[in-house]
Amino acid sequence: MTEMEQRAAAKRFSEKWKDVGDEKQDTQRFWTQLLREVLGVEAPEEMIRFEVPVERLGHTNYVDAILPETHVLIEQKSLSVDLRKGYRQSDGAILSPFEQARRYAGHLPHNENPRWIVVSNFAEFQIHDMNAPNSEPETVRLATLEKDFTQLKFLVNTGSELVRKEMEISLQAGELVGVLYNALLRQYIDPKDPETLRSLNMLCVRLVFCLYAEDAGVFGGRSRFHDYLEAHRKDARRAFMDLFKVLDTKPEDRDRYMDDDLAAFPYVNGGLFSDESVVIPRLTGDIVELLLRRASEDFDWSE
């Protein structure tokens, strides 16, 4: 799933589960749907274990859920439960949901000790990093899951898989930028001039930003940059000059009669597009094809 797809899925999930949540009836459905629909796990039933027995002082207690691969222990409460309050346990102890979960964790086998303890009442998730067990938890609310869902990615990302994925994507991105850089460099009249290299570097940064922005939803439309370039491929150099100027102009300062496809792009603050001395060379059909196909259609820069 792309980041934009996950964001939309997180919004649907939060709307579906708003004001819903019974510990006994809904826990398994809530967590399997979260893993599948928002975090992209194809078979969540194989990743998460529910009602895991823990032997403590001759009695069997049950951990609501465990994600063994990512070392996450989950203590789920009903919607009405205040996660910050203490509640009387069967042995008379007054424990908060986190303290209850931490007590269970102490009776798990050593190789199953959690790195993360998550307590939830459906409306919010409190995330406790057991590398800093006495620090304040990070809180993610269901109501804002659409923008905060990335804070739950630790649930499914094992360290080795995450590093491998990051390396793979970084290598692919680096190769694409390298091919683009070399193709553009050949179009400059004086490729060894320091000013040429400065323009080339800035041009590559701008293009990569545009490719990322359309994949991550910054530009709104999923393929807005791609479609704009496709429509203006016969004069791509002029199209980029116009686009970069628009990206550097606030909506209230723009030409009210500009073409709709340009007006659809947002203002990008921060000065990335403000340097008008950046020289754009002539762009061959091969360079345009490279941007449209390999760089835009075949690669997800939001990752």
Side-chain angles (χ1 to χ4, degrees), residues 11-233:
K11 182 180 181 180
R12 292 192 297 271
F13 181 85
S14 63
E15 291 172 347
K16 179 193 302 184
W17 285 94
K18 181 181 178 182
D19 300 327
V20 178
D22 179 87
E23 177 184 351
K24 300 298 182 184
Q25 298 180 12
D26 298 320
T27 294
Q28 295 193 21
R29 192 160 53 94
F30 179 80
W31 283 95
T32 53
Q33 287 181 11
L34 176 68
L35 293 172
R36 178 185 293 109
E37 297 172 11
V38 179
L39 298 175
V41 178
E42 292 185 3
E45 298 84 0
E46 299 175 7
M47 186 175 191
I48 189 169
R49 295 164 55 200
F50 294 102
E51 295 296 313
V52 180
V54 174
E55 297 296 328
R56 193 183 69 83
L57 303 177
H59 297 282
T60 301
N61 297 105
Y62 293 89
V63 176
D64 290 323
I66 288 178
L67 294 160
E69 286 186 71
T70 49
H71 298 278
V72 177
L73 183 150
I74 298 166
E75 179 64 23
Q76 182 66 50
K77 297 299 182 185
S78 292
L79 186 64
S80 59
V81 173
D82 186 337
L83 299 179
R84 294 157 186 81
K85 287 187 177 180
Y87 296 87
R88 189 174 299 279
Q89 308 298 303
S90 58
D91 61 359
I94 304 296
L95 301 176
S96 69
F98 169 63
E99 291 169 334
Q100 181 184 351
R102 194 171 180 182
R103 185 163 71 171
Y104 290 159
H107 292 271
L108 288 170
H110 179 71
N111 63 347
E112 295 181 15
N113 282 348
R115 161 66 195 278
W116 312 94
I117 290 179
V118 179
V119 293
S120 170
N121 61 0
F122 296 92
E124 68 177 80
F125 307 84
Q126 287 188 359
I127 304 163
H128 297 262
D129 182 352
M130 300 313 291
N131 279 353
N134 297 314
S135 63
E136 287 297 308
E138 181 180 4
T139 299
V140 176
R141 302 186 187 284
L142 181 69
T144 59
L145 192 62
E146 179 184 2
K147 68 180 182 67
D148 295 333
F149 73 91
T150 56
Q151 294 173 257
L152 297 182
K153 286 190 175 183
F154 73 94
L155 293 170
V156 297
N157 283 339
T158 62
S160 58
E161 290 177 351
L162 182 60
V163 170
R164 179 191 60 76
K165 181 70 171 178
E166 287 179 347
M167 288 180 62
E168 178 183 330
I169 292 172
S170 294
L171 288 170
Q172 292 173 359
E175 180 186 0
L176 271 173
V177 173
V179 172
L180 179 61
Y181 182 97
N182 291 332
L184 289 168
L185 180 61
R186 288 192 291 269
Q187 301 309 306
Y188 283 94
I189 295 172
D190 189 353
K192 295 183 180 180
D193 183 357
E195 281 302 306
T196 290
L197 298 178
R198 187 189 68 83
S199 286
L200 174 58
N201 287 332
M202 182 56 72
L203 177 58
C204 285
V205 171
R206 289 178 175 183
L207 292 174
V208 169
F209 174 85
C210 290
L211 291 162
Y212 165 79
E214 72 170 353
D215 284 344
V218 176
F219 282 166
R222 177 71 175 94
S223 57
R224 179 156 289 159
F225 175 70
H226 171 280
D227 294 346
Y228 172 77
L229 178 57
E230 183 81 79
H232 299 276
R233 60 184 303 158

Side-chain angles (χ1 to χ4, degrees), residues 188 199 203 206 236-237 240-241 244 278-283:
Y188 283 94
S199 286
L203 177 58
R206 289 178 175 183
R237 180 174 184 269
F240 282 146
M241 293 169 67
F244 295 163
V278 173
V279 176
I280 302 174
R282 293 178 180 174
L283 301 176

